[in-house]
Amino acid sequence: DVDARDVHGRTPLHYSAYTGSRAIVQILLSAGAQVNVSTSQGRTPLFFAATKNDDEITNLLREYGAIELVTRDISLELVHPGIIANSLAVSPDSRRIAYLAERGGRQLVVVDGVEEQEFDGINGGSLQFSPDSQRVAYLASREGKWLLVVDGEEGVVYENAGSLTFSPDSKRVAFGAERDGKWLVVIDGVEGPEYEHIAGQSLSFSPDSQRLAYGVTRGEQWVVVVDGEESPAFDRVSSLV
């Protein structure tokens, strides 16, 4: 399947565009790969090629119909004049658009042309649509603290936050949060145990959305936590799927 997706919604075309593998990109496109397919965060292959300043792959994707939604929407005067570069997120069904904008030194998210509340800052990499394209989530800061925003609703405030992810069925949300120097995972508003560190981007829901696994450190060793239960300790843990 040339459009097979990983847990983050990325296809072989996304990876090839990011790594600069022009020959692979050509093979995938010739085999019928979807050129405007979006990840769970709304990133298209064209987005990855553009962020790497790879003109060759960017032009190849355009030849196969890659759409520059920002350019198109600005021409229609639908985009906020304070849009922040490279912040555009496209829903998996390609029907919705969200991006970051700045006004008066503060930042906000604009979803389908509708402004949400302003914050001191927003983690642009966290802005994402749910797999069913119906929900939008991101991490924002206010007065030095961080919080989760889902569909415009604010969550609990923490010292820091990261690794935001939706479940495959779009009904659940999990992210890492820091409090008093310790890190914990928050799932649907419920806090898990505290650890010294949570492996970045390790949060992974099961395909049926019922279970969550992630890697953490305890002392000098790593353990994998699945539904709150810890695995034996290891010297290193990687490639959690």
Side-chain angles (χ1 to χ4, degrees):
D1 183 358
V2 294
D3 292 320
R5 294 172 178 263
D6 65 11
V7 295
H8 302 292
R10 294 177 294 226
T11 68
L13 189 58
H14 285 108
Y15 283 104
S16 300
Y18 180 78
T19 58
S21 305
R22 187 189 188 285
I24 304 270
V25 169
Q26 179 67 73
I27 291 172
L28 291 169
L29 291 172
S30 298
Q34 296 183 49
V35 69
N36 289 311
V37 62
S38 298
T39 68
S40 58
Q41 290 186 311
R43 312 306 192 202
T44 64
L46 182 61
F47 172 87
F48 286 113
T51 58
K52 302 295 286 188
N53 295 315
D54 193 321
D55 293 337
E56 190 173 16
I57 290 181
T58 296
N59 291 332
L60 178 59
L61 291 169
R62 287 171 177 158
E63 290 176 11
Y64 278 80
I67 300 173
E68 296 179 88
L69 290 172
V70 173
T71 301
R72 184 184 69 182
D73 286 350
I74 287 177
S75 69
L76 295 174
E77 297 183 352
L78 297 177
V79 170
H80 193 284
I83 184 173
I84 295 176
N86 298 324
S87 69
L88 179 69
V90 182
S91 63
D93 65 5
S94 300
R95 296 181 178 179
R96 307 184 65 194
I97 298 173
Y99 54 88
L100 305 188
E102 186 169 343
R103 179 171 55 207
R106 293 171 62 78
Q107 295 183 348
L108 63 147
V109 168
V110 182
V111 183
D112 298 330
V114 179
E115 297 182 4
E116 297 204 346
Q117 59 266 51
E118 296 182 353
F119 294 95
D120 295 336
I122 294 173
N123 182 335
S126 70
L127 176 61
Q128 60 188 276
F129 282 95
S130 58
D132 66 0
S133 303
Q134 299 304 303
R135 310 179 71 189
V136 179
Y138 54 91
L139 299 169
S141 67
R142 179 185 291 131
E143 298 179 352
K145 303 291 185 179
W146 287 86
L147 55 99
L148 169 68
V149 181
V150 182
D151 299 330
E153 297 293 326
E154 299 182 14
V156 176
V157 173
Y158 295 95
E159 294 173 9
N160 203 349
S163 301
L164 172 63
T165 186
F166 275 104
S167 61
D169 67 3
S170 304
K171 296 180 179 179
R172 310 184 68 191
V173 182
F175 68 101
E178 182 183 13
R179 181 175 56 203
D180 297 329
K182 297 289 186 178
W183 282 86
L184 54 103
V185 171
V186 183
I187 312 172
D188 302 328
V190 179
E191 298 180 351
E194 296 181 346
Y195 296 96
E196 295 174 10
H197 179 75
I198 298 174
Q201 304 302 318
S202 71
L203 274 65
S204 181
F205 279 100
S206 59
D208 65 2
S209 303
Q210 299 304 304
R211 312 184 72 187
L212 180 74
Y214 53 95
V216 302
T217 56
R218 184 178 291 285
E220 297 296 321
Q221 294 187 304
W222 287 85
V223 299
V224 174
V225 181
V226 182
D227 298 334
E229 298 293 327
E230 297 182 7
S231 73
F234 300 96
D235 292 334
R236 181 181 179 185
V237 172
S238 63
S239 301
L240 179 61
V241 296

